[in-house]
Amino acid sequence: MEADDAVFDGILEKVGNDGRFQRRFNLIFNMGAIIFASMSYMSIILALNKPPHNCHVPGMERFNISDAEMWKNLTLPREEDNKGVLSYSKCQMYNVTEAHLQMHYSEWRFQESDIINCAYGYDYDRTYYDRTPITEHDWICDKGFRETNIFVYNRFGELVGTFIFGQLGDTLGRRPVFYFSVLIITAGRLISMFTASIYVVFCMAAVLGSLTSNSIFQAPLIIAMEVSKSERRGYISMMQCIGWTTGLCILPMVFWATRDWFWALMFTIIPIFLFIFIPQYLIESPRWLATRGHYKRSMAELRKIANVNGIRQLPFDERSLEKLLSHRKVETVYGMASLFTGWRMARNTIFCVVCWIVASITYFTLVLLSSRLDGNPFLNFLFQSAIELPAYKIGQILSDNLGRRASNSLAFLTATVICIPIVMIIRVAEYEYIAIALSIAIKFCVSINFFAVNLQSIEIYPTCLRQTGLAFAAIMANLFGIFGPYVVYLGTEYDVRYPFVVIGLLSALGATCASFLPETLHQSLPETIEQAQKFGKKQKFWSLPKKPKTEGVEIGQEMEEGVRLKDTDDDVR
């Protein structure tokens, strides 16, 4: 049957593909739920912020010294920090013995041999935090890798969870995967709150809480994409991006208000759990049900959409729906291996994955750095998050006009160029605010990248592999993203320029790969693996996408023709 990929689009036109149901669904699940999901997911980053610290050296009260800076000057050696500036050591002190305390401090003379590791605990700058796991359990200096390792374990949890739940989305369904995602991320964060004193258990809870950090976003997004007209895909993706960014902007304010990691986590976790109690508003994708041969359930979900959209009578019923669609063979899918069936589909998968890896490493490196730069960590985090809102809007405009391919490539290229002046000036104190502004500009670019590559990932794969394709890209991004926290560690502990050198090189690679992905703007979603294998074959490389003159197939004509052909075939048999 000709124009087979437009059949379900025509069905959706009759039930309403841009009506009240779609607006309500997106408002609740692609904005409301995403606000709280992003807060739950990213809360661990602010909870594990490492406040400025030095060795605690007792004895200041003996000399009636009230100036803490003076006492540091007497008891702490100096060392170069990550900007090349000589400052007080974070993890070492002079060996102030009882003999020193018996004499006046003006007589103290220390040699390099008198420098020892912190012997009496640590003093933390509590300007912004009263309590964190790091200040409670001294995860610094010889235990400094604990914080970095937890971020790595988080990425590992995302990798494993995305592999499992990404494929479950295409086999078990999008709806149950969303509910599993909510339950698991809630359980993981709650366990973390009560186990910080037991490092191994805390790490296990961090992994648990990150298992569904991708599927909780993907499931409602894919449902919305599959029940809406193609022109709304960019808008739907932007709504979820707005929800994500809104959550990130609220998150630092919660931490700033509570000043306590335990209660901040509590206030950011409970709201997402409440979405379990509104199952009447979450449907299963009727498009996915139809591709699996579940026509009765597909028809039931279509009726729900039609009722909310004010359509009481449909021009087809379950029997005619089955006759129209049952000529489609339910394809055999071999999980993620199916993403590499055919040269073109394999090439698209590889380029798409590279773009995900570059965007992911860049994004989370900047997020981790934002709360570890000088100044107010909450405002730094807020400014880096707030820039995403205009970025996503501009990303939508560019993606819907220039196309997904050009938007993705240009954003990567711009990020590459911005890294050059940052590397040149970031160690100069007078240019600190310029460097911060330029790093925010990179965050602006990478937000556009995420918007564009997310759309491309959804649009280049067939229905039977759509969530699997997204999951595979996220898995590879998390696998390579494991190195991101170590890049940040190099920047915070050794040289602040290192992260931006890495970001610049990766962005150049991303720009190259993005330019070879097929353009998906104004293209129908591929329904079968065969269609995905041919997707973009006839596209010109140096051209802007044009809106097709004819859109879709008239459902009435298609319905009549499909039923007639099906009945004729039955009679012949």
Side-chain angles (χ1 to χ4, degrees), residues 25 56 117 132 166 205 226 250 284 288 291 296-297 304 320 341 404 419 449 452 463 465 499 514 552 566:
F25 183 90
H56 173 72
N117 293 331
T132 74
E226 293 180 340
I250 296 173
E284 184 55 89
W288 174 82
T291 62
K296 183 176 181 179
R297 290 177 58 194
K304 290 179 183 177
S320 55
T341 53
R404 293 32 165 156
C419 285
N449 288 131
T463 303
L465 284 172
K566 177 69 176 175

Side-chain angles (χ1 to χ4, degrees), residues 4 34 39 42 56 61 123 176 337 381 431 467 525 545:
D4 190 57
I34 300 306
M39 292 171 66
M42 300 294 278
H56 173 72
E61 64 283 350
D123 290 327
F381 192 95
Y431 299 127
Q467 191 153 346
L525 294 177

Side-chain angles (χ1 to χ4, degrees), residues 189-209:
R189 292 293 182 254
L190 284 174
I191 295 172
S192 297
M193 290 165 52
F194 295 96
T195 58
S197 59
I198 311 172
Y199 179 68
V200 174
V201 179
F202 186 90
C203 291
M204 294 172 63
V207 171
L208 178 64

Side-chain angles (χ1 to χ4, degrees), residues 403-459:
R404 293 32 165 156
R405 177 172 58 190
S407 302
N408 207 9
S409 300
L410 288 173
F412 274 130
L413 186 60
T414 305
T416 303
V417 173
I418 294 174
C419 285
I420 297 173
I422 291 184
V423 172
M424 296 172 63
I425 68 172
I426 195 167
R427 296 187 71 173
V428 182
E430 301 91 89
Y431 299 127
E432 179 181 345
Y433 290 107
I434 296 177
I436 291 175
L438 289 174
S439 68
I440 292 175
I442 296 177
K443 184 71 175 298
F444 181 89
C445 293
V446 77
S447 298
I448 294 176
N449 288 131
F450 261 123
F451 184 90
V453 75
N454 195 46
L455 275 177
Q456 287 177 303
S457 301
I458 291 172
E459 294 171 340

